[in-house]
């Protein structure tokens, strides 16, 4: 059974002046399993934040349902096992970082002893020690994100939902956020996060849901894609004509550019034989990569000139 499941979620808003219906998402179905990382990607206005708010019961669906461990997320007991980092977290400006974390620990029902222990652990993990006695208003964007993550996981939730956690972070901050998400998965915490940064999603996620125009277009099994059985692209140099001829017979296609030969090989068996032939001929393997569409390729397939493709 899925840890968190959304079934045919649809959300329709009304324009505040014309009362015209605005369909934010339609018939979105998702499953999140224990210990997996699920990414939500899509252009602005695709429905990512609306989907996240529905998963958290911050909005009620027009149609459909969301369950956590088989119970409705509208039950408080279900939401107690979930953590949330909004895209633009807001905290009380004049509380210190330590006071802020104690505040959220209290909201989650942690005892004073448990709060102190957990805050100490999170401060070390998120490198918040130098900022513990600073007020929130003094923090940079990156450190504010760290505090946001700390409050989201202070109660050790079964699933952490992070809305654009990489937003506004510098390269070092992005790296730290990636490591944090990978660490949560290692601990068995399921993570759902939305992002515009496709390489991060591809590197971190087990599966990625592609939302475009309020519709779920595809759920990509990224972990399966990483274990492709072919085809493969092999680039080699320094190989004699006889070896080139053998590789041409092995390959589905081939090309030559300035002494570097590229071969498209059907499967792992053909790849192993090709590499063996290059090494035996004292040639050089310049590049080797599985031939598969990137997450960006898949995403752009649903867009046309920057707008959703019908």
């Amino acid at each position: 059974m899925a840890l968190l499941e959304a079934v045919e979620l649809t959300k329709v808003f009304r324009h505040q002046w014309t009362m015209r219906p605005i369909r934010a998402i339609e018939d979105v179905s998702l499953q999140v399993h224990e210990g997996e990382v699920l990414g939500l990607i899509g252009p602005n206005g695709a429905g990512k934040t609306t989907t996240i708010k529905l998963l958290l019961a911050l909005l009620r669906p027009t149609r459909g349902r969301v369950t956590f461990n088989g119970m409705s997320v509208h039950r408080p007991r279900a939401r107690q096992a979930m953590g949330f980092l909004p895209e633009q977290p807001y905290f009380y400006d004049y509380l210190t970082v330590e006071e802020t974390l104690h505040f959220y620990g209290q909201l989650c029902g942690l005892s004073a002893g448990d709060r102190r222990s957990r805050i100490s652990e999170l401060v070390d993990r998120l490198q918040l020690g130098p900022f513990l006695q600073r007020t929130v208003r003094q923090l940079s964007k990156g450190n504010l994100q760290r505090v946001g993550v700390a409050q989201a996981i202070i109660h050790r939730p079964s699933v952490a939902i992070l809305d654009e956690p990489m937003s506004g972070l510098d390269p070092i901050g992005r790296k730290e956020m990636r490591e944090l998400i990978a660490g949560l998965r290692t601990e068995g915490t399921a993570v759902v996060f939305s992002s515009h940064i496709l390489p991060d999603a591809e590197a971190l996620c087990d599966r990625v849901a592609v939302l475009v125009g309020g519709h779920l277009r595809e759920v990509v099994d990224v972990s399966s894609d990483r274990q492709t059985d072919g085809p493969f692209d092999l680039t080699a140099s320094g190989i004699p004509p006889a070896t080139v001829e053998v590789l041409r017979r092995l390959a589905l296609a081939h090309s030559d550019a300035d002494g570097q030969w590229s071969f498209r090989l059907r499967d792992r068996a053909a790849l192993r034989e090709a590499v063996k032939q290059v090494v035996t001929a004292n040639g050089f393997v310049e590049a080797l990569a599985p031939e598969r569409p990137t997450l960006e390729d898949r995403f752009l397939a649903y867009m046309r000139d920057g707008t959703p493709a019908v």
Side-chain angles (χ1 to χ4, degrees):
M1 182 176 70
L3 180 66
L4 182 64
E5 183 174 24
V7 179
E8 296 182 351
L9 281 183
T10 297
K11 181 61 180 178
V12 179
F13 295 97
R14 294 280 179 179
H15 190 280
Q16 62 177 339
W17 299 113
T18 66
M19 299 305 291
R20 180 176 61 87
I22 301 171
R23 197 171 296 269
I25 64 169
E26 184 171 14
D27 293 332
V28 171
S29 295
L30 288 171
Q31 290 188 337
V32 183
H33 301 280
E34 286 187 36
E36 83 162 339
V37 178
L38 175 71
L40 292 176
I41 66 171
N44 291 331
K48 301 187 299 297
T49 297
T50 298
T51 300
I52 282 174
K53 288 181 177 180
L54 290 167
L55 292 177
L56 289 159
L58 298 175
L59 291 174
R60 284 191 173 272
T62 304
R63 186 176 69 248
R65 68 180 189 277
V66 181
T67 57
F68 176 85
N69 266 340
M71 73 180 87
S72 169
V73 290
H74 293 280
R75 296 180 61 179
R77 193 155 63 91
R79 296 199 300 278
Q80 285 173 354
M82 302 167 74
F84 176 46
L85 169 68
E87 180 179 359
Q88 295 179 325
Y90 176 81
F91 303 109
Y92 294 110
D93 280 353
Y94 292 95
L95 289 182
T96 65
V97 170
E98 184 175 29
E99 290 168 340
T100 298
L101 295 180
H102 272 288
F103 172 70
Y104 281 99
Q106 280 183 294
L107 286 180
C108 293
L110 299 182
S111 67
D114 287 343
R115 289 199 307 275
R116 284 193 294 270
S117 172
R118 182 61 169 160
I119 289 171
S120 176
E121 178 186 333
L122 290 173
V123 165
D124 289 340
R125 181 172 180 177
L126 296 169
Q127 301 174 34
L128 285 169
F131 313 103
L132 204 56
Q133 300 308 320
R134 291 191 189 179
T135 59
V136 170
R137 69 193 299 267
Q138 295 175 298
L139 299 182
S140 67
K141 170 68 173 177
N143 288 324
L144 196 63
Q145 285 288 80
R146 293 181 191 181
V147 175
V149 171
Q151 64 81 28
I153 63 174
I154 194 168
H155 57 306
R156 295 184 173 86
S158 299
V159 57
I161 299 180
L162 315 176
D163 193 2
E164 298 284 357
M166 317 284 187
S167 175
L169 298 184
D170 61 20
I172 294 174
R174 280 177 53 198
K175 178 179 180 292
E176 291 173 347
M177 188 63 70
R178 288 196 302 268
E179 290 173 348
L180 174 69
I181 292 172
L184 289 172
R185 173 170 51 193
T186 301
E187 294 170 1
T189 302
V191 179
V192 179
F193 78 92
S194 63
S195 181
H196 286 113
I197 305 170
L198 302 187
D200 286 344
E202 190 162 25
L204 281 170
C205 296
D206 299 295
R207 294 182 301 129
V208 175
V210 182
L211 278 170
V212 179
H215 294 270
L216 179 62
R217 301 303 179 98
E218 183 180 9
V219 178
V220 181
D221 190 337
V222 181
S223 59
S224 175
D225 274 5
R226 294 190 190 111
Q227 301 169 12
T228 180
D229 289 324
F232 298 91
D233 291 322
L234 171 68
T235 302
S237 65
I239 51 178
T243 303
V244 171
E245 189 58 35
V246 173
L247 294 176
R248 286 174 64 177
R249 290 197 296 268
L250 276 173
L252 298 171
H254 63 275
S255 62
D256 176 25
D258 297 327
Q260 283 198 346
W261 285 89
S262 296
F263 302 93
R264 185 169 182 262
L265 301 156
R266 184 188 305 278
D267 52 27
R268 290 179 183 273
L271 174 64
R272 281 193 293 269
E273 181 60 26
V275 171
K276 177 183 174 183
Q277 292 290 333
V278 173
V279 172
T280 301
N282 292 319
F284 299 94
V285 174
E286 302 288 351
L288 172 60
E291 185 182 291
R292 59 180 175 83
T294 65
L295 192 57
E296 183 177 20
D297 294 331
R298 291 175 181 266
F299 172 67
L300 292 177
Y302 297 104
M303 306 293 292
R304 184 182 295 116
D305 299 326
T307 59
V310 178

